[in-house]
Amino acid sequence: MSAIWSAHWSAAEPIQAHAAPAADERQHPLAPLRVLDLSRLLPGPMACKHLADLGAQVLKVEPPLPGRPGLPGDDAAYMGPGEDGVSHFYRVVNHGKRRLVLDLKQPEQLATLRALVAEAHAVVEGFRPGVMERLGLGYEALRAINPAIVLTSISGYGQEGPLRLAAGHDLNYLSLAGVVDQTRTPDGRPVFSHLQIADQLGGAQTAAIGTLAAVLGAQWTGQGRWVDVSMTDAVRQHQVILGTDALADGESPAPGASLLNGGVPCYNLYRCADNRWLAVGALELKFWQGVCAVVGREDWAARHWSLGEAPGSEAARALIDELGALIGSRPLAVWVERFAGADCCVTPVLGAHEALFGRGAVTVGEGMQRLTAPAVTLR
């Protein structure tokens, strides 16, 4: 490890959501990677957490908090419940990093960051376009210090274009990317996602991939890159099935009228007698035939989109209603038991606590360990 980096890494405060045993070395292929995380809130910190999970040395650079020494200078630290004045949210998305407090408006502390850039592989930031340049930390300035440096900039709309300076949040990005239009109830009302799709898929995942690609390229060529991540564009680019459907039809699919948005019986959500829900994802004919066998309606087996029953048609809607009435006659537990072992893509819709932690109570420490578990397991 380089001298300046080593000194600051050793002195920086570890950010831990919980105490956990050291990971197997096989889980840390990025151990030599040095990353400066200048980002805050969710997309950038989560991108850098993915890198830290794989072993990268991530120094999270935060400004001092006036009047509250020792507390994080990231607003995420004060969003939601927590302990000792710091939110669980902050601890989870920054788990495995080390916090370095620097006031970048002070010349000597800005000089410290520049010295770290000289020994780093990547810098990740999530400011509005132009802020890094005003701080004297734009890509050209960083490249002058370290030609192999990678700068990853995460923003709502990218570094160029008419919306580059516009404010926004996850809901805005999803709206402009066409996602909200497609998350509608059959009566046409758009619904929210409590999972921040644009922040996580468009921001964190795309930034992590782009950063690693640019760092790998720099290892080969000696030249870094500026990775420009637009969360809106990244989400838009992932809509391959919706996009090709819209391209073919010349318009957006209507809610409840196509193959993947509620227009077929074999791929739908059904309310049970206890107001819990059952997810039927039997897209392929063999899985649909399995569903029909379990519910005792083999006469429905040939009524499938692949055999000519068009999504959104009157026949499809009628069968959705019939299957809905049947499933609605029993509580969820009955259907879970009946479908247990049946290979036909039917699952319960779990509540958030059930899905994350199971049905039993968990301690905060146990819950944190589940929330901070790496997204990728290397074997």
Side-chain angles (χ1 to χ4, degrees), residues 8-161:
H8 284 87
W9 177 260
S10 298
E13 177 188 358
I15 305 174
Q16 299 292 335
H18 54 82
D24 187 301
E25 288 186 3
R26 291 175 298 177
Q27 296 296 315
H28 283 169
L30 299 183
L33 182 66
R34 298 185 290 272
V35 180
L36 289 165
D37 179 8
L38 275 59
S39 64
R40 303 173 193 174
L41 296 174
L42 180 58
M46 195 67 186
C48 292
K49 180 188 178 297
H50 290 315
L51 302 179
D53 286 342
L54 294 170
Q57 306 159 45
V58 180
L59 271 177
K60 181 170 170 57
V61 179
E62 296 179 353
L65 192 65
R68 304 180 74 180
L71 289 177
D74 181 340
D75 289 342
Y78 314 103
M79 296 175 64
E83 297 176 353
D84 302 322
V86 177
S87 71
H88 297 319
F89 165 46
Y90 172 86
R91 285 195 168 100
V92 166
V93 299
N94 293 295
H95 179 73
K97 308 175 188 177
R98 295 194 176 204
R99 181 168 61 239
L100 179 64
V101 177
L102 291 176
D103 184 351
L104 300 182
K105 296 179 181 179
Q106 301 299 321
E108 67 280 5
Q109 297 191 43
L110 181 60
T112 297
L113 182 67
R114 290 174 188 261
L116 288 166
V117 167
E119 298 183 357
H121 298 101
V123 177
V124 177
E125 61 93 7
F127 301 115
R128 289 202 209 189
V131 171
M132 288 289 281
E133 284 78 5
R134 291 197 295 273
L135 289 170
L137 297 171
Y139 177 61
E140 293 301 326
L142 297 183
R143 187 168 67 166
I145 301 169
N146 178 355
I149 197 69
V150 170
L151 173 61
T152 298
S153 297
I154 307 170
S155 63
Y157 309 109
Q159 299 295 307
E160 299 178 346

Side-chain angles (χ1 to χ4, degrees), residues 314-329:
E314 288 187 14
R317 296 304 316 172
L319 185 50
I320 290 170
D321 292 342
E322 286 187 75
L323 180 55
L326 177 56
I327 290 175
S329 67

Side-chain angles (χ1 to χ4, degrees), residues 206-230:
T206 305
I209 293 170
T211 300
L212 290 176
V215 167
L216 185 59
Q219 299 300 303
W220 289 333
T221 67
Q223 296 299 312
R225 304 285 182 99
W226 187 4
V227 180
D228 177 6
V229 177
S230 161

Side-chain angles (χ1 to χ4, degrees), residues 356-368:
L356 294 171
F357 309 121
R359 292 183 177 273
V362 296
T363 66
V364 171
E366 290 170 338
M368 290 290 200

